[in-house]
Each structure stands twice: as structure tokens, then as C-alpha cells.
Amino acid sequence: MSDRGIPPAVILVEPQLAENIGTAARAMLNCGLTDLRLVNPRDPFPSERASAASVGALEIMPPVKIFDSTEAAVADLNMVYATTARERKMVKPILTPRALGETAVEAGRAGRKVGILFGRERTGLEKDDIALADAVVTVPLNPEFTSLNLAQAVLLLGYEWYQAGDSTPPRVLETHGAEPATKEQLYGFFAHFEKALDDCGFLRNEEARPNMIRNLRNLWGRAELTEQEIRTLHGVVKELTTLREKKRQ
Amino acid sequence: MSDRGIPPAVILVEPQLAENIGTAARAMLNCGLTDLRLVNPRDPFPSERASAASVGALEIMPPVKIFDSTEAAVADLNMVYATTARERKMVKPILTPRALGETAVEAGRAGRKVGILFGRERTGLEKDDIALADAVVTVPLNPEFTSLNLAQAVLLLGYEWYQAGDSTPPRVLETHGAEPATKEQLYGFFAHFEKALDDCGFLRNEEARPNMIRNLRNLWGRAELTEQEIRTLHGVVKELTTLREKKRQ
């Protein structure tokens, strides 16, 4: 986690069901978040139900801290964000989860402590809790059907924090150790393949021939072939032409 | 949805529990996805359990289509992506959910049909199913604890598709119709406030005064005050100085 700095704390304000504490913990740990704080949970905590729902996450994470007010739960933090689904009539900056993720990674790397508040399952955060926060975070989702459970909201915020510090390339060709073919190997296959097409008459239309060859070369090029696959394709062409030779006899 | 083009289809391959079909549908509709397809679901479908778990989503969405093979389920699609958590020894491009979201919005806008395959709850997609796909999608998450349920995986992929077509600004000050103060109003408050500080002696250190004033102006500036808040602050300063005057008498 070091390249993301201090991970944000997740503060569940008055969670109602023990299961939801567990599923929130599970969602957190997926994203490398381990600082879980509860403000006045309705069900007793810790509990079997919470632990079972966490699928092992609560055992791995440091002990959950319990507080009797939101103020106390965030007292040591430098920046606090309130998640809300519904409109609250407050003059407040609204961030996307992505913007919060980037802000939180920046803050964490600078040694600042960030917390994200989540309200009760049914009713969300109270206005007085929101007023304690620096900004509101709202997830842009289908306005005609916004129905996230607590763990899903925690997951989306944690996911964006994790992505903000992640260096996975958007797209990579996984070859599991196989070497990508060199251009010499690729062009060697082109020559074999095109010779076979010439021999069988597929390229007999002289006018269409150059374009057909270019199209086929582009097709093979898009496939990002490995050395092993080039060898396989040489074998395929060889066997196909051998079959043709045999039939001709 | 029109600015995102055709939404991707979600294909659940051999889902085991009816509940998971419902929660996946709920996750989808949150993201504006409505094309759900099932390949050989183990529990019968449709079912009460699936509907209840969807929290209304299955009633809103068009009918779910059921197929007896992955090939048949994706036959009309142009691009197919396979979600996997574990490493499969296949030479295949691997995309992040974000890259897939962007690719899918681009494709959907061009009128192309995209599908995302999700495997069984416990074991994921079979290698033969992955071989039917254009690329693999893997969610970058905590490698020491990756534990997403089916609906959460669907949610994260759908979320990224939704975000890729979303224009919500990363940060916006929501004023609910209140007008942001003009600079004239703000500077008028500076004058009132600083006069009060001069009168009470807070700024008596001539050397520190200019810097102190700049710091306080920066503080007020960061608050992005509205017209109404400027009026409130004038009232606050007025009352505070009145109290002081009264005390002095």
C-alpha cells in the first residue's frame, strides 16, 4: 500500500445490521482499506454475524473502533467526506468517487488522514453529520434506479481509491512467458502463407492481389502472434497444403 | 443512455444461485444496463428468489434471455470480454475495467454490440468460454484479499461503463440556487471584518498586520461564499462587535 500513502478510514454511522458491517469490511479489504470505525452500531459488535458476513476480512483487519459520536470518530482525521445518494439542501462541494480517490491518494501520500462517512442503510447520513464533512461524495449512477447497498457503496469508493494509486496498464497482452514473435518471424510466415495461396490459386486475380495480401497481413498483425503461434501456423499451412497435394495425386 | 450508445449485454454463464441472478440484475440497472442473458442457470429461472433479490430491477428490465451455450448467448454481439479473477494460461489481452468501459462506450456509440461474460460463482469462466472472448478483464484489487461476489463484479464493470459516458464534473459546489457572492460583496465583507479587527486591537501589531490580513482573506476565499452567507457573516461581525461595545459600557 505504500505507494498510495495512508489508506482512508471508513466510518459507518449508526449501521443497523451486523451483516452489513461484515460485508462492508469485506468490500474494504478487497481495496486494501483496513481502518473501520463504527458510530453507535445498532446490533452489538463484534458479533458472529458480522464476522461470517466479512468472509474472513474482520479477522485480517486491525480491530474495529467504536465511537459514540461522529465527531469523536473523525477527531484524528484531517479530511472527511460524506457519502450521500439523495440531495441535501446544503451548500457543499460535491465530488465524484474518482475525484475523491485521487484526492485521498494525494492526501495519504502527504501523510494526511482521510475518512469517508457512510450513513445508515435506509436513511443515509444526517444533515448534522454532513455538516462536519469537508465535502459530499455522490456516485454518478442511473438516476432512475439508484439502489446500492452499504457494502456496494463502500466498494465503489474503495475501488476508486485503489485505482487512483494503481499502475496496472489499461491493456496488456499476457503471454505467460511466451515470446512475442519478431518481425522477421512474422514476415517469414507471411512468405510461407502467401506462397501457399499463390500455389493454390487463391491470389490468381492479379488486380486484387496486392490489396488482398495487405489485408491478410493486417489481420495477422492484429493478432499479436507469439513465436510459438508462428510455429503452429507454419505447421497448419504445411499440413493444409500437404493435404491438397495428396488429393491432387 | 443515448450518449453512451448501445449498453453492453451481461452474460452470466452457468450461475448457480437464483439470488445471484437477482443481485446481478440490481447491480446492472444501477448502471443503466438492461440486457441480461443466462447460459444454463442451475436454479430455474424466472423465480421468486431471483425477483426478490433484484429489488425490482428484473421487473423494470426487458425479459432475461436464456441460452444453452455461451456461443449462442453471444452470437449477435461484435465484441465479447471475459471477466476473470484468477490467472489462466492463455495468450490474451487483459484490460482493466476502466479500459473496457471506454472501449465499450466507443463501440456502443459506433453501433457495435458488446457483451461481458461472468462465470460461475465459485469457479469462474471455463477456459473454452474465455477462448471465445476478444479479451480478458481483470479488476485490479488487493492481491492479498480478492473476494468479490458476482453482483459486485457486475457492479464494478457496469460502473466503469457508466462513468466512461458520464459528464459529472469531478468537483462542483452545489449551492441549491443560492448565488455565489460577487467579488464586490466579498471585499465589502473583508472591509467590515478587518475594520472590526482593527477596532478591537486584534491587528495592532503593524508588522504582522499585512500578512495576517492576507491569510484571513485567503481563508474566506477558500470558503467559496454565497451572497446569503456574506449577509450572515456581516450579521455575525455586527453582533459580535455590538456585544463588545455593550460590555465596554
Side-chain angles (χ1 to χ4, degrees), chain A residues 1 26-27 29-32 54-57 60 87-99 139-143 145-149 151-152 155-156 159-160 162-163 166 168-176 178 224 226 229, chain B residues 1 26-27 29-32 54-57 60 87-99 139-143 145-149 151-152 155-156 159-160 162-163 166 168-176 178 224 226 229:
Chain A
M1 296 301 112
R26 175 186 178 187
L29 195 54
N30 267 290
C31 308
S54 82
V55 195
I60 297 169
E87 230 8 277
R88 312 283 176 154
K89 294 272 175 202
M90 286 201 266
V91 180
K92 200 107 189 161
I94 302 184
L95 272 61
T96 60
R98 188 155 303 169
V139 186
L141 285 174
N142 180 4
F145 186 91
T146 308
S147 167
L148 291 182
N149 63 35
Q152 288 173 327
L155 177 68
L156 288 179
Y159 167 82
E160 284 287 10
Y162 195 89
Q163 303 313 306
D166 193 67
T168 305
R171 179 192 184 284
V172 70
L173 181 69
E174 177 53 74
T175 62
H176 301 284
E224 303 177 274
T226 64
E229 288 166 340
Chain B
M1 295 302 114
R26 176 186 176 187
L29 195 55
N30 267 289
C31 307
S54 83
V55 195
I60 297 168
E87 231 9 276
R88 312 284 176 154
K89 293 272 174 200
M90 285 201 266
V91 180
K92 201 106 187 164
I94 301 184
L95 272 63
T96 60
R98 189 155 305 167
V139 185
L141 284 174
N142 181 4
F145 186 91
T146 307
S147 167
L148 292 181
N149 62 34
Q152 288 173 327
L155 178 68
L156 288 179
Y159 167 81
E160 284 288 8
Y162 195 89
Q163 303 313 306
D166 195 65
T168 305
R171 181 192 184 282
V172 69
L173 182 68
E174 178 53 72
T175 63
H176 301 284
E224 303 177 275
T226 64
E229 288 165 342

Side-chain angles (χ1 to χ4, degrees), chain A residues 25-248:
Chain A
R26 175 186 178 187
M28 285 174 65
L29 195 54
N30 267 290
C31 308
L33 302 179
T34 59
D35 184 351
L36 175 57
R37 308 174 182 202
L38 309 177
V39 179
N40 296 329
R42 196 192 63 184
D43 284 346
F45 186 89
S47 74
E48 268 306 308
R49 281 158 55 208
S51 294
S54 82
V55 195
L58 282 169
E59 285 149 59
I60 297 169
M61 289 159 59
V64 174
K65 302 185 204 89
I66 304 184
F67 299 87
D68 61 6
S69 72
T70 304
E71 284 95 326
V74 302
D76 63 314
L77 305 179
N78 302 107
M79 296 150 85
V80 173
Y81 298 88
T83 55
T84 65
R86 278 170 296 283
E87 230 8 277
R88 312 283 176 154
K89 294 272 175 202
M90 286 201 266
V91 180
K92 200 107 189 161
I94 302 184
L95 272 61
T96 60
R98 188 155 303 169
L100 172 56
E102 286 158 9
T103 301
V105 166
E106 208 181 318
R109 284 177 181 157
R112 291 171 187 169
K113 295 173 79 177
V114 174
I116 311 175
L117 299 171
F118 294 85
R120 296 179 201 210
E121 290 89 334
R122 297 237 165 253
T123 51
L125 288 166
E126 303 282 334
K127 283 187 177 184
D128 284 338
D129 286 327
I130 299 174
L132 294 172
D134 297 283
V136 157
V137 188
T138 299
V139 186
L141 285 174
N142 180 4
E144 284 158 35
F145 186 91
T146 308
S147 167
L148 291 182
N149 63 35
L150 183 56
Q152 288 173 327
V154 169
L155 177 68
L156 288 179
L157 277 283
Y159 167 82
E160 284 287 10
W161 174 78
Y162 195 89
Q163 303 313 306
D166 193 67
S167 57
T168 305
R171 179 192 184 284
V172 70
L173 181 69
E174 177 53 74
T175 62
H176 301 284
E179 286 299 315
T182 64
K183 288 309 168 206
E184 187 181 23
Q185 291 164 336
L186 180 65
Y187 302 164
F189 171 69
F190 285 174
H192 183 186
F193 180 60
E194 290 157 14
K195 165 89 169 42
L197 295 184
D198 270 325
D199 286 350
C200 73
F202 185 80
L203 295 173
R204 62 184 163 269
N205 183 332
E206 277 299 320
E207 208 180 324
R209 190 176 183 282
N211 205 33
M212 180 71 79
I213 285 181
R214 279 192 297 268
N215 288 349
L216 289 167
R217 288 181 174 185
N218 282 331
L219 176 166
W220 295 117
R222 286 201 306 276
E224 303 177 274
L225 298 167
T226 64
E227 286 185 351
Q228 175 57 53
E229 288 166 340
I230 293 277
R231 281 193 293 275
T232 303
L233 286 170
H234 274 297
V236 165
V237 171
K238 187 161 172 249
E239 293 286 333
L240 285 173
T241 51
T242 306
L243 180 66
R244 188 179 173 84
E245 291 302 314
K246 277 185 189 154
K247 273 193 181 158
R248 197 178 279 169

Side-chain angles (χ1 to χ4, degrees), chain B residues 61-184:
Chain B
M61 288 160 60
V64 174
K65 299 183 207 92
I66 305 184
F67 299 87
D68 61 8
S69 73
T70 305
E71 285 93 327
V74 303
D76 62 314
L77 306 179
N78 302 109
M79 297 150 86
V80 172
Y81 298 89
T83 56
T84 66
R86 277 170 297 282
E87 231 9 276
R88 312 284 176 154
K89 293 272 174 200
M90 285 201 266
V91 180
K92 201 106 187 164
I94 301 184
L95 272 63
T96 60
R98 189 155 305 167
L100 172 57
E102 287 159 9
T103 301
V105 166
E106 208 181 314
R109 284 177 180 157
R112 290 169 190 174
K113 295 173 81 177
V114 173
I116 311 175
L117 297 171
F118 294 84
R120 297 179 201 206
E121 289 89 335
R122 298 238 165 249
T123 52
L125 288 167
E126 303 282 335
K127 284 186 176 185
D128 285 338
D129 286 328
I130 299 173
L132 294 172
D134 296 284
V136 156
V137 188
T138 300
V139 185
L141 284 174
N142 181 4
E144 284 157 36
F145 186 91
T146 307
S147 167
L148 292 181
N149 62 34
L150 182 58
Q152 288 173 327
V154 170
L155 178 68
L156 288 179
L157 277 282
Y159 167 81
E160 284 288 8
W161 175 77
Y162 195 89
Q163 303 313 306
D166 195 65
S167 57
T168 305
R171 181 192 184 282
V172 69
L173 182 68
E174 178 53 72
T175 63
H176 301 284
E179 286 299 316
T182 63
K183 289 308 168 205
E184 186 180 26

